[in-house]
Amino acid sequence: MKIIKLTTYRVPPRWMLLKIETDEGVVGWGEPVIEGRARTVETAVQEMEPYLIGQDPSRINDLWQTMYRAGFYRGGAILMSAIAGIDQALWDIKGKVLDKPVYELLGGLVRDRMKMYSWVGGDRPSDIIEQIRTLQQGGFNTFKMNGTEELGMLDTSAKVDDAVRRVAEIREAFGSTIEFGLDFHGRVAAPMAKTLLRELEPYRPLFVEEPVLAEQAEYYPRLAEMTSIPLAAGERMYSRFEFKNVFAAGGLSIVQPDLSHAGGITECLKIASMAEAYDITLAPHCPLGPVALASCLQVDFVSYNAVLQEQSMGIHYNQGGELLDYVINKEDFKIVDGYCKPLPKPGLGVEVDEERVIAASQHAPDWRNPVWRHADGSVAEW
Ligand SMILES: O=C(O)C(=O)C[C@@H](O)[C@H](O)CO
Ligand SMILES: [Mg+2]
């Protein structure tokens, strides 16, 4: 079997789907994308074609190493997202050829169902209580929200009080019947992180995500020393070579590699396994589309330390498109009592509605995240 064609489709709300075709008619789908840089990743995928066209798609490890090491300059968000989507599609092909779900090719199920969580509150967290109540009726009991709005490197007690009040209201309304993570989203600089963690401690958030920017990962062990709140990060790290330094330095309790940013299934499996050796749990980042989610679930179902899975149903980023819009086998992604079952179909387990993808790709937006400004006019972390 040989790879004969790669086709990318940028589609609403902000995703990109990749179709890899073979000379024997087997097709694999991947989701290479960096939110806000879809066109850049699309070009990176096209630049990987010389390593792929004419090659045997079953040799995923060699193709992965070639895509990574053949370029003198490697790693980073764009190239690792391109490799990620290609890797996903190659695993999809392999599973379809062998008529097995990918998790069967990776040693079989380590669990019967996977715990899922849902975002609430939007970019500027609001209406949290009502949204949690609604999602609870749908079976969710674990949630994530932004911990703050924009925050200066050194900001006011009033801003801290806002963040704490929101969390206090959640605990007041739901007690311990729900769990919630707070995503600091890189908005909190080191000077404020300690104060916020201290003030939030009494409300026991399940985790605090990106307590500081990945560029300041050296703070993770220091922050972990002063709080019992589990710290989570990983969506902005792109290979095991980055994660190894963070694991060795300590401080992280939850690692969140993104299956569409960190080299795909092949790489994220290695990251998951490294994390397990450090007693770090796995909670793959996935605010994206169905192929990314299916790839996450394939890793979740073979990773002992997988504890939580993000999914984008109803997420505030999904304007103009929803998680399962391009999926034929929607029923396989059903979440019951907050859990998802293993995807039963061969390959990644997602049957892509290609007609719908092609139609939607005719009016794909160039999604960009907003650029926020502080009161003094300086740019704020979004
Ligand atoms: O889901 C998360 O944890 C996020 O922080 C969302 C962020 O990754 C956006 O997708 C960036 O556009
Ligand atoms: Mg996040």
Side-chain angles (χ1 to χ4, degrees):
M1 183 179 282
K2 294 199 180 321
I3 296 168
I4 57 172
K5 190 175 180 185
L6 277 71
T7 310
T8 50
Y9 297 101
R10 281 177 287 105
V11 293
R14 58 177 193 160
W15 308 330
M16 179 159 73
L17 299 178
L18 163 67
K19 176 185 176 185
I20 295 187
E21 296 176 76
T22 65
D23 59 354
E24 295 182 21
V26 180
V27 167
W29 287 90
E31 191 171 333
V33 70
I34 276 284
E35 303 95 299
R37 294 286 181 262
R39 288 178 187 273
T40 316
V41 175
E42 186 169 47
T43 301
V45 169
Q46 288 157 1
E47 288 178 341
M48 293 290 177
E49 285 191 14
Y51 306 128
L52 298 162
I53 301 296
Q55 297 303 314
D56 173 358
S58 74
R59 297 193 60 179
I60 298 175
N61 284 313
D62 178 52
L63 292 170
W64 195 100
Q65 293 290 346
T66 303
M67 287 189 285
Y68 182 78
R69 297 179 188 278
F72 187 77
Y73 297 99
R74 70 263 321 254
I78 302 298
L79 294 176
M80 295 310 284
S81 297
I83 292 174
I86 294 164
D87 180 80
Q88 292 166 8
L90 294 174
W91 276 107
D92 197 26
I93 291 168
K94 184 178 278 286
K96 287 171 178 175
V97 166
L98 299 173
D99 194 26
K100 291 282 184 199
V102 168
Y103 56 76
E104 288 296 359
L105 310 180
L106 299 173
L109 297 175
V110 76
R111 59 179 48 83
D112 302 322
R113 56 183 191 161
M114 183 63 200
K115 187 133 179 83
M116 314 296 284
Y117 70 85
S118 182
W119 263 90
V120 287
D123 266 344
R124 296 179 185 281
S126 60
D127 305 330
I128 303 270
I129 306 295
E130 278 323 300
Q131 290 177 40
I132 289 176
R133 281 201 214 291
T134 305
L135 287 161
Q136 260 189 321
Q137 279 143 30
F140 281 102
N141 61 22
T142 307
F143 306 92
K144 181 165 86 175
M145 67 208 70
N146 278 305
T148 77
E149 298 192 337
E150 59 271 61
L151 199 71
M153 287 192 76
L154 191 65
D155 218 315
T156 62
S157 284
K159 284 280 190 92
V160 173
D161 290 348
D162 279 351
V164 174
R165 181 181 36 69
R166 222 176 348 259
V167 164
E169 285 169 358
I170 293 169
R171 277 295 178 227
E172 175 69 26
F174 301 99
S176 304
T177 62
I178 65 153
E179 294 302 334
F180 59 89
L182 296 175
D183 194 344
F184 281 10
H185 211 252
R187 297 173 181 175
V188 180
M192 291 302 294
K194 285 190 284 185
T195 304
L196 269 172
L197 287 168
R198 186 192 62 225
E199 295 299 313
L200 291 165
E201 184 98 17
Y203 301 97
R204 276 188 288 149
L206 185 61
F207 58 86
V208 163
E209 178 174 323
E210 290 201 310
V212 291
L213 282 162
E215 295 94 311
Q216 272 88 36
E218 68 276 11
Y219 272 88
Y220 295 157
R222 301 180 209 169
L223 294 172
E225 281 303 308
M226 51 79 62
T227 182
S228 63
I229 301 173
L231 301 182
E235 66 186 87
R236 290 190 269 192
M237 296 179 213
Y238 307 106
S239 76
R240 71 203 113 121
F241 306 111
E242 289 184 57
F243 282 97
K244 73 170 183 180
N245 301 322
V246 172
F247 292 162
L252 274 197
S253 298
I254 304 167
V255 69
Q256 302 170 304
D258 186 299
L259 267 282
S260 282
H261 301 346
I265 290 171
T266 303
E267 187 71 354
C268 287
L269 273 174
K270 294 172 183 173
I271 294 165
S273 177
M274 287 167 69
E276 184 184 351
Y278 286 89
D279 220 17
I280 296 173
T281 60
L282 173 73
H285 175 258
C286 192
L288 292 171
V291 180
L293 178 58
S295 302
C296 290
L297 290 168
Q298 298 300 334
V299 172
D300 292 336
F301 277 107
V302 301
S303 300
Y304 175 75
N305 54 333
V307 292
L308 265 182
Q309 179 57 56
E310 181 177 22
Q311 53 77 44
S312 77
M313 183 69 77
I315 203 170
H316 44 300
Y317 307 118
N318 285 358
Q319 305 301 320
E322 194 42 279
L323 176 62
L324 301 179
D325 283 359
Y326 308 112
V327 174
I328 294 170
N329 61 319
K330 299 182 196 298
E331 69 288 349
D332 290 341
F333 289 81
K334 193 167 169 54
I335 294 172
V336 178
D337 298 334
Y339 287 85
C340 196
K341 292 265 192 193
L343 297 173
K345 301 268 187 315
L348 296 181
V350 53
E351 289 180 334
V352 173
D353 184 339
E354 187 170 2
E355 269 179 43
R356 186 116 190 226
V357 167
I358 294 170
S361 69
Q362 309 307 312
H363 50 84
D366 277 321
W367 185 90
R368 290 276 181 281
N369 60 263
V371 179
W372 283 0
R373 295 267 170 195
H374 291 300
D376 67 3
S378 58
V379 68
E381 292 286 353
W382 165 68

